[in-house]
Amino acid sequence: MRFSLNRDKLLKSLSYAQGVVEKKNTLPILSNVLINAKNNTLTLVATDLDIFFYEEINDVNISNEGSTTTSANVLHDILRKISPQSELNFEQKSQNKLNLNADNSDFNLLCLPPENFPAMPQDKASLEIKLDASKFLSLINKVKISISNDDTRHYLNGIYFHVTSSGNKNYLTGVATDSHRLSSSSIEIPSLKDGISFILPKKTVFQLSGLLNDFQGNITLKIGENKTDFIVEGKRLISKVIDGKFPDYKKVIPLNNQKKLVVNCKDFIDSVERVTTVSLDRKEGIKLELLENKIKLSVSSTNSGDGNEILKSVYKNQSFIISFNSKYLIDIASVIENQNIEFLLNDGISPVLITDQSDKDSFYVVMPMKI
């Protein structure tokens, strides 16, 4: 096998691939990327057995066809340190040695036989829809902040996608919760004969988010019995879905919270970050005392002191104190599109509904803390 191509094209592809490869190295072949040079096209495949990443690169000069596998992370690190726009020359010297020549550098990379690399899944898709990449990325970014890290409840370790409807419109809705907070966002889709319901794992969500960051246009989503296949301009991300039942999240959405608090989003984030600086342990929480048209934010730490700040707001109801995990507030405020963030509250111990007036199809629920 012998081929040459531009360094930047291969580096971009490898940046996705090395995010997918198995980090724990239980099987050496899973640390490698499969490189296949054939028919004037270079294909790269990386997997951890749960996710497959596949990409075709066309701007490549192939002298001899062939295939091999080599370490995705090592190759990625080498390319990062080679000058941009350099010409890369690859030649397979033997079954276990791949030579890379670029500028004044020369590397011999160890290889494993391509026959040992896992085969791409061939599940037949039962449903296929097209999604606007920027809208779908926005949905993912708004919802992923609430994905749980608790492995004992694996069905919370991802985003639950399903179809919802309002009026004559259909929506693809994503929901995530860690039982302390919940995020939901929806985008309009065409009417479907069959419903959609699957939980996309956290790792896939973050890999997909990276893919969509660099793309404008439509993506294709194919849904099989236990896999999803996202096709993004010559790239494919095939993922297993989480086997489990997502809880009935609608039960925890507060519908009768009448006390409205409106505050400037940026000012709120800055104020929360300043006040919590005094706390070494962010789990200690932040108190919000709601007063007429102002909030008193305070943090008290037994180890490092206390901090207080007054922030202007729009609030016309009775005063009370409510406490939160400060990280939850910052995460949510950071994805609000409007310049203001709106809280709908009941009292100091009930769930709080947070809305975005610039995106009526998204909302957030946060449980208060007991301090």
Side-chain angles (χ1 to χ4, degrees):
M1 181 176 68
R2 184 187 298 121
F3 63 90
S4 60
L5 78 165
N6 181 276
R7 168 261 191 194
D8 294 19
K9 279 190 171 293
L10 185 58
L11 177 60
K12 193 170 187 179
S13 183
L14 276 168
S15 67
Y16 301 130
Q18 63 93 29
V20 169
V21 295
E22 177 60 58
K23 299 293 191 297
K24 295 179 182 177
N25 201 21
T26 51
L27 290 172
I29 196 73
L30 296 182
S31 296
N32 284 12
V33 59
L34 174 64
I35 303 172
N36 187 24
K38 190 176 182 181
N39 298 331
N40 296 319
T41 301
L42 188 73
T43 60
L44 299 181
V45 183
T47 185
D48 64 356
L49 295 182
D50 289 330
I51 307 172
F52 277 80
F53 169 76
Y54 172 95
E55 180 169 13
E56 294 182 352
I57 302 174
N58 295 316
D59 296 332
V60 56
N61 180 20
I62 299 174
S63 305
N64 290 319
E65 295 182 346
S67 63
T68 190
T69 79
T70 192
S71 169
N73 288 325
V74 170
L75 183 54
H76 179 260
D77 282 347
I78 289 172
L79 296 193
R80 281 195 308 114
K81 296 163 186 175
I82 290 176
S83 303
Q85 300 301 329
S86 295
E87 182 80 0
L88 304 177
N89 299 290
F90 288 87
E91 182 177 1
Q92 189 167 8
K93 299 290 189 180
S94 65
Q95 188 180 33
N96 62 355
K97 186 180 293 185
L98 178 66
N99 178 259
L100 164 59
N101 185 279
D103 297 334
N104 296 317
S105 303
D106 188 82
F107 302 91
N108 286 302
L109 307 176
L110 295 180
C111 303
L112 290 173
E115 298 81 28
N116 297 340
F117 198 84
M120 290 268 288
Q122 301 297 325
D123 282 8
K124 185 177 180 181
S126 59
L127 186 64
E128 179 178 322
I129 59 173
K130 292 195 180 298
L131 302 169
D132 180 278
S134 60
K135 291 180 180 178
F136 189 56
L137 175 61
S138 177
L139 182 157
I140 288 174
N141 288 339
K142 290 178 179 184
V143 175
K144 70 183 184 183
I145 58 175
S146 296
I147 294 176
S148 173
N149 293 314
D150 182 3
D151 292 333
T152 62
R153 293 186 291 176
H154 67 283
Y155 50 86
L156 297 183
N157 298 151
I159 295 180
Y160 170 52
F161 286 100
H162 58 297
V163 174
T164 57
S165 59
S166 178
N168 296 323
K169 296 181 178 179
N170 288 301
Y171 297 87
L172 179 64
T173 297
V175 181
T177 182
D178 60 6
S179 76
H180 301 291
R181 54 180 167 169
L182 179 146
S183 302
S184 174
S185 186
S186 302
I187 56 173
E188 190 175 349
I189 58 171
S191 179
L192 299 173
K193 291 181 181 179
D194 301 309
I196 296 173
S197 178
F198 61 90
I199 305 172
L200 197 66
K202 180 178 182 178
K203 182 175 178 180
T204 308
V205 168
F206 279 83
Q207 291 302 316
L208 188 57
S209 179
L211 267 180
L212 298 180
N213 263 328
D214 301 322
F215 179 71
Q216 295 290 327
N218 288 332
I219 67 169
T220 300
L221 166 58
K222 294 182 177 181
I223 303 167
E225 187 175 342
N226 58 6
K227 286 186 174 61
T228 57
D229 186 357
F230 295 90
I231 302 172
V232 186
E233 197 182 42
K235 305 176 186 69
R236 291 176 65 190
L237 196 65
I238 303 171
S239 172
K240 288 183 180 178
V241 298
I242 293 175
D243 182 19
K245 183 175 175 57
F246 199 81
D248 184 2
Y249 67 92
K250 294 179 182 177
K251 290 182 178 179
V252 303
I253 302 171
L255 301 176
N256 298 310
N257 287 8
Q258 301 297 323
K259 301 182 177 84
K260 182 188 289 187
L261 167 68
V262 180
V263 60
N264 181 275
C265 223
K266 183 180 185 306
D267 292 345
F268 183 70
I269 293 172
D270 292 345
S271 185
V272 171
E273 288 184 335
R274 277 194 296 269
V275 172
T276 53
T277 304
V278 75
S279 173
L280 300 176
D281 182 3
R282 295 300 173 91
K283 293 180 181 178
E284 288 177 324
I286 181 170
K287 285 185 180 180
L288 274 60
E289 183 176 359
L290 277 57
L291 305 166
E292 185 174 356
N293 291 335
K294 63 183 178 182
I295 315 169
K296 181 180 179 182
L297 298 91
S298 60
V299 170
S300 179
S301 172
T302 54
N303 297 317
S304 50
D306 59 76
N308 301 275
E309 188 165 319
I310 303 273
L311 183 63
K312 289 181 181 179
S313 68
V314 178
Y315 183 71
K316 306 288 186 185
N317 295 281
Q318 69 185 74
S319 301
F320 67 93
I321 296 174
I322 189 166
S323 303
F324 296 100
N325 180 314
S326 61
K327 182 181 183 302
Y328 296 169
L329 296 181
I330 291 172
D331 284 348
I332 293 171
S334 298
V335 295
I336 297 290
E337 293 179 16
N338 198 276
Q339 67 175 1
N340 294 323
I341 182 170
E342 182 178 286
F343 297 79
L344 294 172
L345 310 103
N346 185 36
D347 52 38
I349 59 173
S350 302
V352 176
L353 182 65
I354 300 176
T355 59
D356 182 350
Q357 292 305 303
S358 293
D359 179 9
K360 298 295 182 68
D361 296 321
S362 298
F363 65 86
Y364 313 87
V365 178
V366 186
M367 290 296 296
M369 286 180 69
K370 292 180 180 180
I371 298 181

